[in-house]
Amino acid sequence: MTTHKIALIPGDGIGVDVTDAAIEIATAAARRFGFTLATETFPWSCDHYLATGRMMPEDGIETLRGFDAIYLGAVGWPATVPDSVSLHGLLLPIRKAFAQYANIRPHRLLKGVEGPLRSDGFDILCIRENTEGEYSGAGGRVHQGTPGEVAIQTSVFTRMGVERILRFGFEQARARRGHLTSVTKSNAQQYSMVFWDEVTREVAADYPDVSVEPMHIDAMAARMVMAPESLDVIVASNLFGDILTDLGAAIQGGLGFAASANINPDRSAPSMFEPVHGSAPDIAGKDIANPIAAIWSAAMMLDHLGEAEAAAAILAAIEAATAQGIGTRPGSHSTSAITQAVKAALEA
């Protein structure tokens, strides 16, 4: 029997609630399909930071390296730890250390879920460059606290980084409906984004079977609202992809349905899976957080681990629950009720 070693980092707030739900469903799927999940939980969080001065131990990356995958609930408790500290102390170091350069976020309406748009026939796969670009962390501040204070944040785009995320996107488009939209702002950012456009054209020559459409970020924001059904695979930089995928979550019914994967495509290190929503401290521990995004993320994890049947069964179970109206509206059902409905459908 195959055993997959999973590192669990529930993190902060509702991250704990939804991680419990996701792993309960993933474990049920493992029983049904004949494999096991060996999980180990790490308490790395804002509470850990307050107790130790670090979001994770100094050897945290090396500890995680021995796992097949990482599952993250959510990170952040801004009332006690600034988001800039929690993000740069845990999530971003993991993504960069393990070359999880492909952030994948699917956007479609689940059965029974009503989105805010008239269109419901969309199926978009957003692929966000995940390790450089605008979130490279290059820059600094000088003369702090004076009228002459200066803050500089530098975006870093490498040919290797841009080319590999584009190739990943083209491969996904080839396996789907054969259309890729590359998102930039090259009319205003004449160096980095013109460079991205040039690399897109170069890579496109190797994929004659995929149609390519360059688009500016502002036009893409409008397109996702006005004609989401016209989109297939979207590839964007770290910042633009981050923004677009929150818009994608909105049109699919909200952050409670938004799953994601941080993928190391060559599998030289573990990949990480997490719901897109934040830690929502105001509802933590109240059994009211929607766990569907977290459960969907767990399905993406199983698919990445080669358990495609189990992953498909979890998605089918999610939709069996939402088709009955369970978990389709904020506050309509408790975390535990949604989890048990999905589990019942999975085991039926």
Side-chain angles (χ1 to χ4, degrees):
M1 182 180 290
T2 302
T3 297
H4 302 291
K5 292 178 60 181
I6 311 298
L8 303 181
I9 308 175
D12 299 299
I14 64 168
V16 177
D17 307 343
V18 299
T19 296
D20 288 345
I23 297 307
E24 181 176 352
I25 298 302
T27 301
R31 284 195 302 269
R32 175 179 166 185
F33 289 94
F35 60 95
T36 60
L37 300 178
T39 63
E40 184 174 349
T41 301
F42 297 92
W44 305 340
S45 61
C46 288
D47 280 346
H48 188 271
Y49 177 85
L50 293 174
T52 68
R54 298 181 64 96
M55 288 297 295
M56 63 177 168
E58 192 171 352
D59 63 351
I61 293 298
E62 290 310 307
T63 299
L64 294 174
R65 194 177 297 276
F67 288 86
D68 298 314
I70 304 161
Y71 188 92
L72 175 69
V75 177
W77 201 281
T80 58
V81 179
D83 285 339
S84 58
V85 172
S86 58
L87 183 67
H88 286 272
L90 185 62
L91 181 60
L92 293 185
I94 293 172
R95 287 175 175 173
K96 292 176 181 178
F98 294 143
Q100 297 169 351
Y101 65 81
N103 183 247
I104 304 173
R105 300 187 180 184
H107 301 297
R108 63 180 178 84
L109 282 176
L110 298 170
K111 293 177 182 177
V113 178
E114 292 185 9
L117 305 181
R118 289 172 295 178
S119 174
D120 61 4
F122 60 88
D123 181 1
I124 303 170
L125 190 67
C126 271
I127 298 173
R128 163 192 172 192
E129 200 291 315
N130 213 29
T131 58
E132 55 176 47
E134 302 90 348
Y135 293 179
S136 297
R141 293 171 64 181
V142 296
H143 309 305
Q144 288 180 251
T146 73
E149 183 170 359
V150 177
I152 297 174
Q153 190 85 34
T154 302
S155 299
V156 177
F157 291 89
T158 66
R159 177 168 289 276
M160 180 190 74
V162 175
E163 181 173 342
R164 70 184 181 181
I165 195 64
L166 285 165
R167 288 194 181 279
F168 185 87
F170 273 101
E171 293 292 339
Q172 298 300 309
R174 175 176 276 174
R176 285 169 51 95
R177 301 192 303 276
H179 183 72
L180 180 140
T181 307
S182 177
V183 179
T184 66
K185 188 60 178 172
S186 50
N187 57 342
Q189 295 176 289
Q190 72 270 41
Y191 303 121
S192 61
M193 295 286 95
V194 168
F195 170 65
W196 183 293
D197 285 347
E198 290 173 356
V199 177
T200 300
R201 289 191 292 271
E202 293 171 11
V203 174
D206 293 335
Y207 296 88
D209 53 326
V210 176
S211 62
V212 186
E213 182 179 17
M215 185 168 292
H216 292 153
I217 178 66
D218 43 354
M220 173 54 73
R223 175 87 162 267
M224 287 183 72
V225 172
M226 301 301 294
E229 71 284 351
S230 67
L231 299 166
D232 181 15
V233 173
I234 297 171
V235 181
S237 69
N238 216 328
L239 175 63
F240 291 169
D242 194 5
I243 295 168
L244 287 177
T245 50
D246 269 20
L247 177 55
I251 66 174
Q252 72 181 120
L255 287 169
F257 304 106
S260 78
N262 303 278
I263 299 296
N264 173 306
D266 67 12
R267 299 175 183 265
S268 59
S271 294
M272 180 167 60
F273 303 82
E274 56 173 326
V276 172
H277 62 66
S279 59
D282 57 321
I283 62 171
K286 296 182 179 179
D287 196 32
I288 58 177
N290 189 337
I292 288 177
I295 296 169
W296 192 342
S297 299
M300 295 177 76
M301 178 178 71
L302 294 186
D303 186 62
H304 180 74
L305 292 171
E307 306 293 351
E309 283 187 285
I314 290 176
L315 285 176
I318 290 173
E319 293 210 82
T322 58
Q324 300 175 51
I326 299 172
T328 57
R329 295 177 305 281
S332 63
H333 295 83
S334 66
T335 307
S336 54
I338 298 169
T339 304
Q340 293 313 306
V342 174
K343 187 176 181 181
L346 177 65
E347 295 176 338

